Amino acid sequence: MKSLIPHFIQEKVLERQWHGSLNAYVMFIDLSGFTSLTETLMKKGNQGAEELSLILNEIFEPLVGFVYERGGFIPHFAGDSFFALFPNADPQSGRCFLDAAAMAVEFFQKRSFSFGGFLIGLKIGLSHGEVEWGIAGHATYGFYFKGAPIDQSAACQDKAKDKNYPIVLDNPALLRLTDLALDATEFEPGFFSLAPPSSNLRAKRKETVLPPLQREVMLSFLPQEVVEFQQRGEFRTVVPVFLAFDGVKERRILNRLINVLLEQITTFSGYLKEFDFGDKGSLVSCFFGAPVSFENNDNRALEFIYSLRQELHELMETYGVKFRAGATMGMAYTGIVGGKERCQYAMVGNRVNLAARLMASARWGEVLVDGEISKNRHFIFQHHGDIQYKGIEGNIPTYRLETRSGEQAQAYSGPLIGRDAELNKLLDFASPLFLKRPAGVAFVFGEAGIGKSRLSYETRKEIAEKKDVMWAYC
């Protein structure tokens, strides 16, 4: 059974603990050059996918191993990056934390930063402090880690320079590690470049004894298709969707938001990869078309976004929660990324990066999509401009999602469950219309995430199957 969730999270689930914090060292590792690597090998089809899978394993397996053999663990991967936590459990924790960073740099230097003939850059950011964690959901769970040290480690990584100064740490980390006599140079206020410590000073290697992950626990967080995934990586057409949220200031609001997201992603058969509360704010990445694909992946993604906007209306009106989104459609590498101690089903490619850029450039309340998504006939889009995005070649035709068109497409999976009484009540309410009598106005209301959009959809579908109806949306 692959280690698709952190052992830390399984431990908390089995202990029935849903929220807490830990004092920890935080390491953010970012790898550059993945986009050109992926796009080049994509041209070689299946052979390129096999080559990319081997290169990814060649890179990630040692890096993951360094973290775990030094007492750390990895909460999330984000394509070509990940962050690791090293709980401040004993006097050797700081030394082990630095050892893992130094071992990563040495590994890349020995390879001359070359993997499969491609140059891959390495940057590492280090911080220290209190990290909050939480588990939320009902039928399906999601987990998150958040806090200033995670944000700061990402900021440090952003300041690092490939090859010359690949490790940067901040004041909290430096103050915590003062007894180790580090060779650190302040190059900006609060940021220090670090010379990798000598291998002669390393702490004794820690024995990594990880309990097996239980299938039932993983299935409470991940789709069955991900838990049972045994295939090689492949290139396939996918629809990545990136969401950003603002105004989520209380844990109870955060939990409600997670509940809505999990219910909606399940309804439309997508894969919610992770909740990321880091330096770029509250972000959620999800995918349609992998590991399970449908003929209408783009429509499912758009229905997910549209329905999400409706389900979050109460949180927006009452608590000031805001969101924006970006979505694209195209080829990407899909498969397992990581090592034996920790891995994740992920997508890597230019279209994935573009979806994140579209989300970042959207204004609050906006949904921006690429040209492929804009061809969907079930929604109306407005041309937003041909825009240059960081890391993306050329000017990209960009469109803003406006509303549904009159033509509504099936995007839900499975039968409607537990809402027969409400559905029949709505159908009875509408019946006078077909006798040429007014029916009035029906309001569908309730807490976020309980299925109002699905109930409304089923009502429209049932009526449309019996009568020729014109729908007006406002």
Side-chain angles (χ1 to χ4, degrees):
M1 192 67 70
K2 292 183 174 65
S3 299
L4 292 165
I5 63 172
H7 293 78
F8 175 91
I9 290 297
Q10 173 174 272
E11 176 186 328
K12 299 305 177 184
V13 169
L14 296 177
E15 294 174 352
R16 312 301 291 174
Q17 294 185 33
W18 309 111
H19 178 259
S21 63
L22 68 157
N23 190 265
Y25 296 96
V26 183
M27 176 187 300
F28 194 104
I29 291 185
D30 180 73
L31 305 169
S32 59
F34 267 43
T35 300
S36 60
L37 165 65
T38 304
E39 296 301 310
T40 300
L41 293 180
M42 194 178 292
K43 298 173 184 177
K44 301 171 70 172
N46 291 337
Q47 180 186 343
E50 290 186 13
E51 290 181 27
L52 181 55
S53 181
L54 291 173
I55 293 172
L56 291 175
N57 289 337
E58 197 175 359
I59 294 172
F60 278 104
E61 282 187 3
L63 293 178
V64 172
F66 298 151
V67 169
Y68 277 81
E69 75 176 48
R70 295 291 156 173
F73 70 92
I74 298 173
H76 289 301
F77 293 88
D80 53 5
S81 65
F82 67 84
F83 76 90
L85 301 180
F86 294 74
N88 193 20
D90 58 59
Q92 287 293 305
S93 297
R95 171 58 67 189
C96 290
F97 169 63
L98 289 176
D99 289 348
M103 291 161 71
V105 172
E106 286 180 10
F107 169 63
F108 268 68
Q109 289 175 339
K110 287 178 180 177
R111 296 292 303 259
S112 299
F113 294 81
S114 177
F115 297 84
F118 296 88
L119 288 178
I120 302 296
L122 171 73
K123 298 193 296 180
I124 302 176
L126 307 178
S127 187
H128 177 272
E130 205 71 16
V131 175
E132 180 185 350
W133 61 269
I135 301 169
H138 295 305
T140 304
Y141 294 142
F143 65 86
Y144 63 87
F145 291 80
K146 62 194 290 278
I150 296 176
D151 301 349
Q152 276 297 105
S153 66
C156 288
Q157 168 274 136
D158 197 47
K159 300 284 186 182
K161 304 295 183 183
D162 290 348
K163 297 186 180 180
N164 295 327
Y165 300 101
I167 304 177
V168 170
L169 72 165
D170 64 0
N171 267 319
L174 186 64
L175 290 173
R176 189 73 191 188
L177 299 167
T178 50
D179 60 330
L180 298 181
L182 302 181
D183 183 4
T185 304
E186 187 172 25
F187 62 93
E188 282 187 28
F191 294 95
F192 303 82
S193 61
L194 177 67
S198 169
S199 58
N200 297 326
L201 301 176
R202 285 184 188 155
K204 183 179 179 181
R205 176 174 174 171
K206 293 188 176 183
E207 290 296 327
T208 306
V209 181
L210 298 173
L213 288 173
Q214 299 179 18
R215 185 174 186 274
E216 294 75 15
V217 175
M218 285 201 289
L219 285 172
S220 65
F221 289 92
L222 300 167
Q224 181 176 342
E225 294 82 6
V226 171
V227 173
E228 297 178 350
F229 189 83
Q230 298 294 333
Q231 305 170 36
R232 288 179 175 272
E234 61 180 342
F235 294 119
R236 64 193 302 174
T237 301
V238 296
V239 181
V241 176
F242 283 78
L243 306 157
F245 297 90
D246 187 44
V248 187
K249 299 176 182 178
E250 301 177 30
R251 184 161 62 90
R252 62 188 181 91
I253 305 304
L254 175 59
N255 288 346
R256 288 181 64 182
L257 172 63
I258 291 174
N259 287 338
V260 173
L261 285 162
L262 291 172
E263 175 160 327
Q264 293 303 314
I265 200 72
T266 300
T267 296
F268 295 101
S269 296
Y271 165 50
L272 197 155
K273 180 174 172 286
E274 64 195 7
F275 300 97
D276 178 10
F277 301 98
D279 63 312
K280 297 180 178 63
S282 302
L283 307 182
V284 176
S285 55
C286 40
F287 305 106
F288 295 81
V292 178
S293 185
F294 298 87
E295 291 183 358
N296 60 344
N297 291 319
D298 58 331
N299 203 65
R300 289 172 180 271
L302 290 168
E303 286 288 353
F304 163 73
I305 296 171
Y306 200 86
S307 179
L308 184 64
R309 186 154 56 185
Q310 292 178 317
E311 294 291 337
L312 290 175
H313 181 74
E314 180 191 350
L315 293 181
M316 293 177 180
E317 290 293 314
T318 307
Y319 301 103
V321 173
K322 297 182 288 186
F323 97 105
R324 61 189 181 195
T328 61
M329 184 164 68
M331 293 289 287
Y333 173 85
T334 65
I336 301 295
V337 174
K340 68 178 188 298
E341 299 92 348
R342 178 76 171 98
C343 59
Q344 198 167 35
Y345 185 85
M347 296 185 184
V348 180
N350 192 52
R351 305 317 288 181
V352 179
N353 296 343
L354 177 58
R357 298 297 183 195
L358 291 174
M359 176 272 296
S361 66
R363 293 191 291 266
W364 292 114
E366 280 188 338
V367 178
L368 298 183
V369 304
D370 68 350
E372 285 300 309
I373 293 286
S374 73
K375 296 175 184 177
N376 187 293
R377 68 181 185 277
H378 305 297
F379 289 82
I380 296 172
F381 303 90
Q382 181 72 37
H383 186 240
H384 189 65
D386 295 347
I387 301 172
Q388 174 71 57
Y389 296 100
K390 180 181 177 182
I392 307 295
E393 186 177 346
N395 293 324
I396 304 300
T398 304
Y399 299 82
R400 183 175 59 249
L401 172 65
E402 297 291 337
T403 186
R404 285 194 182 102
S405 65
E407 185 177 2
Q408 179 64 31
Q410 164 70 35
Y412 292 98
S413 295
L416 179 68
I417 297 174
R419 289 287 180 263
D420 289 345
E422 291 88 347
L423 177 60
N424 290 330
K425 191 171 183 178
L426 286 170
L427 294 174
D428 289 343
F429 174 83
S431 59
L433 294 172
F434 305 110
L435 299 175
K436 298 185 178 181
R437 299 201 306 264
V441 178
F443 292 91
V444 179
F445 60 92
E447 290 187 8
I450 63 172
K452 299 186 295 293
S453 297
R454 178 67 185 271
L455 177 61
S456 300
Y457 170 80
E458 294 294 339
T459 303
R460 295 196 305 271
K461 183 168 75 74
E462 289 281 339
I463 292 174
E465 288 175 353
K466 298 174 182 176
K467 298 287 183 179
D468 188 15
V469 177
M470 178 181 294
W471 295 102
Y473 297 94
C474 59

